Amino acid sequence: MIADRERAREAARAILREFGVKGAPVPVERIVKARHIVLQYAPLEDDLSGMAFIKDGVGIIGVNALHHPNRQRFSAAHELGHHELHAPEIEKAVHVDRGFRVLLRDDVSSQGIDPLEIEANAFASELLMPRDLVASAVDASGLDIEDEAGVEALAKKFRVSASAMRYRLAGRF
């Protein structure tokens, strides 16, 4: 299987249109709950960001309550991506995510080669940092990608980490 980033981004854009999202921050918790997916926060091992599974027909997302709120938002969006894009896979077994590419996680995942993870990251990135909203914010502020304070301010507006915003601005997501 080859990762289809554009399909993942389009799935996120469809959700943004469905929910009428016009500004940042994107209400990821509200979107997850409106999709009738149970969103649970619990203390997990530090390298465990989140998990997605379907049990008895009910979608469930688990997020590490010990992580920074911005990382929790990305985890929730990433796991929603698995529900939206990979339901057959997560019906078979619990899908556990030990961090994300931007956080340089473990072996296979840190290499950015797992197609499911690549797609879930692309989905989460587009959902939380929609291309059009980021472009408008950058144009309005005249942001230079090398401007650390500007990137931090933009990340704060979208309630994502500065590293996630840097990846987004660099076009890596």
Side-chain angles (χ1 to χ4, degrees):
M1 174 184 171
I2 297 173
D4 188 344
R5 287 182 179 93
E6 193 49 41
R7 177 181 78 97
R9 289 184 193 110
E10 183 48 45
R13 287 191 288 268
I15 289 173
L16 293 167
R17 286 190 300 273
E18 177 185 339
F19 284 87
V21 174
K22 302 281 189 232
V26 172
V28 68
E29 284 189 9
R30 184 170 62 85
I31 291 169
V32 168
K33 290 174 183 175
R35 285 275 198 260
H36 305 290
I37 297 171
V38 175
L39 180 58
Q40 298 178 330
Y41 293 87
L44 305 170
E45 295 175 33
D46 189 55
D47 69 335
L48 186 60
S49 298
M51 61 185 72
F53 57 102
I54 298 170
K55 182 176 167 108
D56 301 326
V58 177
I60 300 170
I61 290 175
V63 173
N64 193 335
L66 302 177
H67 287 170
H68 188 280
N70 290 343
R71 186 167 178 193
Q72 290 176 12
R73 283 174 46 79
F74 196 91
S75 295
H78 177 98
E79 301 307 338
L80 176 61
H82 284 306
H83 277 276
E84 294 290 320
L85 303 167
H86 312 127
E89 289 85 350
I90 64 173
E91 280 179 328
K92 296 176 197 165
V94 174
H95 185 86
V96 176
D97 283 306
R98 295 191 177 274
F100 300 105
R101 186 166 60 108
V102 291
L103 302 170
L104 300 177
R105 42 189 186 155
D106 64 17
D107 300 344
V108 172
S109 49
S110 67
Q111 296 170 26
I113 58 174
D114 181 325
L116 300 181
E117 296 306 306
I118 291 169
E119 289 178 357
N121 278 342
F123 176 93
S125 178
E126 186 66 33
L127 187 72
L128 295 179
M129 299 169 281
R131 183 180 326 159
D132 295 345
L133 294 181
V134 170
S136 293
V138 167
D139 288 347
S141 68
L143 178 71
D144 176 349
I145 194 168
E146 301 299 320
D147 174 11
E148 287 298 317
V151 171
E152 292 277 347
L154 193 57
K156 186 174 182 178
K157 174 180 177 140
F158 284 83
R159 291 186 52 213
V160 298
S161 70
S163 62
M165 184 56 72
R166 275 189 218 91
Y167 266 76
R168 183 65 167 154
L169 292 170
R172 294 186 199 151
F173 267 143

